[in-house]
Amino acid sequence: MAMARGVQNLLRKRGIYRNFHSWKISGNQQEVPPCTIDGIHVFRCPDRLGIVAKLSDCIASRGGNIQCIDVFVPAKKNVFYSRSEFVFDPARWPRALMDDDFRGLSEMFNAEKSIVRVPDQDPKFKIAVLASKQDHCLAEVLHGWQDGKLPVDVNCVISNHERTPNTHVIRFLERNSIPYYCLPTTPGNKREDEILELVAGSDFLVLARYMQIFSGRFLECYGKDIINIHHGLLPSFKGGNPSKQAFDAGVKLIGATSHFVTEELDAGPIIEQMVERVSHRDTLQSFVQKSENLEKQCLMKAIRSYCELRVLCYEGAKTVVF
């Protein structure tokens, strides 16, 4: 104790020591920086002067700051597309007020689409996944959800083929309490009414190699987007075992396409495409593995792009993907 008092006296003489309770912050105190979070806004409206300026002013007037903005105005078309990423302080710009502000902007420019999303505040997208026999795309989506690579919640998995209880997919679904429904189909019964009931609470559907064609009635009744994936061997190699057909034909380029589902088979607006070269050194096994890897990657990229509001339909059959 005596030694401690001696040290204190020495520090006092040198003007260093202060009693803990006597410390004061002198000078200008820095304000605590606001707690900012990310927002996304997409816009489609008739093109006219001043849209970007008004959009920037809308965000800046609430203390927000645009981090990046992508704009597309097609040549000789009176239409404007944009996607903005911004940061803002939710204390200064509450979510309800943000919706009102962007609604006013939408009315000002007669927007056909104006969507705002705050990933940290808004619920994750709820999806239902449909698959047939093959598991590679289904497993990729499930693991992407588990690893946090996809901002979604999986409501259920639906298949038209039974899976035995001890398979990897079934064990995964059971561990994570994700319902699995097996609805075997026939040419005369696609089980569409039952599927509609199961997917009623979803925000969009993912077809992870679901080898069935939905009717126009199903698409109309569901009324939301459906994302599909298929190999890039169409239309040359149709029917059963297209990979072997393409391998036997000696193709040098394979691919995968992810697109929105429409009534016309595999002809909906394209979201993502990927390609890879193959050669004479590939075996049928490596050929198939490369094809399946492309399908998995392409589907995951399409889902992420969709959830990040990067995809806008353009001229009916096309998409703008920012």
Side-chain angles (χ1 to χ4, degrees), residues 57-297:
D57 183 62
C58 175
I59 294 171
S61 66
R62 300 297 187 182
N65 186 39
I66 292 180
Q67 301 291 290
C68 69
I69 181 169
D70 288 303
V71 171
F72 173 60
V73 179
K76 300 180 181 179
K77 302 285 184 180
N78 184 38
V79 61
F80 172 95
Y81 298 86
S82 73
R83 179 183 182 274
S84 309
E85 294 182 7
F86 58 95
V87 294
F88 70 100
D89 179 0
R92 289 189 60 182
W93 203 9
R95 189 69 173 81
L97 180 58
M98 178 184 293
D99 286 338
D100 288 341
D101 289 342
F102 281 116
R103 190 178 301 112
L105 196 69
S106 178
E107 293 172 355
M108 181 185 300
F109 291 103
N110 297 316
E112 301 165 10
K113 182 182 288 289
S114 177
I115 302 174
V116 62
R117 181 162 179 80
V118 181
D120 288 344
Q121 291 183 339
D122 296 347
K124 292 181 178 180
F125 290 97
K126 297 177 181 178
I127 68 170
V129 186
L130 289 84
S132 291
K133 287 183 178 180
Q134 293 179 296
D135 284 341
H136 60 286
C137 287
L138 171 59
E140 189 76 4
V141 172
L142 293 175
H143 287 295
W145 162 77
Q146 184 182 54
D147 297 340
K149 295 177 182 178
L150 293 178
V152 301
D153 281 327
V154 181
N155 279 6
C156 67
V157 171
I158 302 169
S159 179
N160 59 330
H161 288 274
E162 188 64 75
R163 285 171 170 79
T164 57
N166 202 34
T167 59
H168 170 70
V169 166
I170 294 299
R171 292 199 305 268
F172 182 97
L173 296 175
E174 290 174 346
R175 285 197 307 270
N176 292 280
S177 301
I178 299 173
Y180 177 79
Y181 302 99
C182 179
L183 301 177
T185 57
T186 65
N189 184 6
K190 302 292 186 178
R191 313 292 290 270
E192 290 188 347
D193 288 335
E194 294 164 85
I195 294 173
L196 284 170
E197 289 184 15
L198 295 173
V199 303
S202 62
D203 294 308
F204 66 96
L205 302 184
V206 173
L207 306 188
R209 300 295 286 154
Y210 186 64
M211 310 306 290
Q212 296 293 316
I213 301 172
F214 286 124
S215 69
R217 174 183 167 275
F218 178 93
L219 299 179
E220 183 179 356
C221 290
Y222 181 63
K224 303 172 189 175
D225 290 323
I226 304 174
I227 296 176
N228 189 29
I229 182 71
H230 63 74
H231 56 73
L233 304 175
L234 296 172
S236 298
F237 306 102
K238 301 178 180 179
N241 209 342
S243 291
K244 187 175 187 308
Q245 294 180 50
F247 176 79
D248 291 341
V251 302
K252 302 303 182 189
L253 198 66
I254 59 174
T257 296
S258 186
H259 61 90
F260 290 117
V261 174
T262 61
E263 288 190 59
E264 189 176 354
L265 178 62
D266 292 333
I270 294 170
I271 304 170
E272 184 63 50
Q273 289 183 301
M274 292 183 178
V275 296
E276 183 173 344
R277 293 195 67 81
V278 291
S279 76
H280 58 278
R281 298 185 184 277
D282 278 290
T283 64
L284 178 58
Q285 182 179 5
S286 67
F287 186 100
V288 171
Q289 185 63 57
K290 287 180 178 180
S291 181
E292 290 183 351
N293 284 340
L294 283 176
E295 291 173 10
K296 294 190 294 187
Q297 296 169 34

